[in-house]
Amino acid sequence: MDHFSEAPIPRFPSPLARALRFMPLAPVSLALTRLTRNMATRHASMFRRLGEHADARFLLDPTDLPVTLCLEPMQGRPKITLYRSPPQADARIAGPLAALIGLVHGAYDGDALFFSRDLVIEGDTAAALALRNAVDDAELDIATEIENLSGPFARPLHKLIELAERRTGVALTRHEEDLLW
């Protein structure tokens, strides 16, 4: 068992979440789309693995934030759009931001989160399961993907991410020793 699954799931600080209500969503959507497309290039099989769900719309709903993210795989040219009010989607995956990020990094067991009700899945559960399997197989590390786009700022950014992970308890990187397999 890893140190992330033993501790309570961290929640995004309420004052920061309230401040996000005023954040312009378009620039963040563009940045997340660029990051996701870079990941699709580096992990091409990830979106192919969605199979019949390659055109599904996934609503990622961090319940401790005032925004939702809509992921559209678009046959390997993914797009992420942030919304203040959730749009229609084929599947909704909801939980604290730390849990959603931790699922990507393998720090949390999705089944355990689901049965403890820390994670809610609605809509097309087969599509949600296909997404989960595709992400699991890709063994993503979001921090590394961001660092790859950061050019000369990659090294200081890496140090900042390590510090943020230690301070917040959120699995911001993939730790092979933490995987629950």
Side-chain angles (χ1 to χ4, degrees), residues 126-141:
L129 184 59
L131 179 63
R132 172 192 170 180
N133 291 338
V135 169
D136 283 350
D137 285 352
E139 296 185 357
L140 299 174
D141 186 321

Side-chain angles (χ1 to χ4, degrees), residues 15-145:
L16 291 176
R18 282 192 296 277
L20 290 177
R21 290 184 184 145
F22 305 104
M23 168 186 71
L25 300 183
V28 179
S29 295
L30 290 172
L32 289 173
T33 293
R34 178 158 186 241
L35 173 65
T36 307
R37 286 186 177 169
N38 187 63
M39 289 175 11
T41 299
R42 292 171 45 88
H43 306 276
S45 66
M46 179 172 59
F47 288 103
R48 284 195 306 267
R49 186 136 200 276
L50 290 174
E52 66 184 78
H53 306 289
D55 290 319
R57 287 172 48 118
F58 299 93
L59 186 64
L60 308 174
D61 186 358
T63 54
D64 47 355
L65 294 182
V67 297
T68 57
L69 297 84
C70 183
L71 167 64
E72 298 175 79
M74 298 172 54
Q75 303 292 328
R77 290 265 311 143
K79 176 181 175 185
I80 292 186
T81 309
L82 270 67
Y83 292 92
R84 295 198 195 287
S85 298
Q88 289 294 108
D90 297 294
R92 175 179 173 258
I93 303 165
L97 179 64
L100 297 175
I101 293 171
L103 284 170
V104 171
H105 292 132
Y108 291 112
D109 178 284
D111 293 334
L113 289 176
F114 178 77
F115 288 113
S116 67
R117 298 186 181 167
D118 288 311
L119 186 70
V120 174
I121 299 171
E122 298 174 335
D124 187 344
T125 54
L129 184 59
L131 179 63
R132 172 192 170 180
N133 291 338
V135 169
D136 283 350
D137 285 352
E139 296 185 357
L140 299 174
D141 186 321
I142 297 172
T144 298
E145 299 295 338

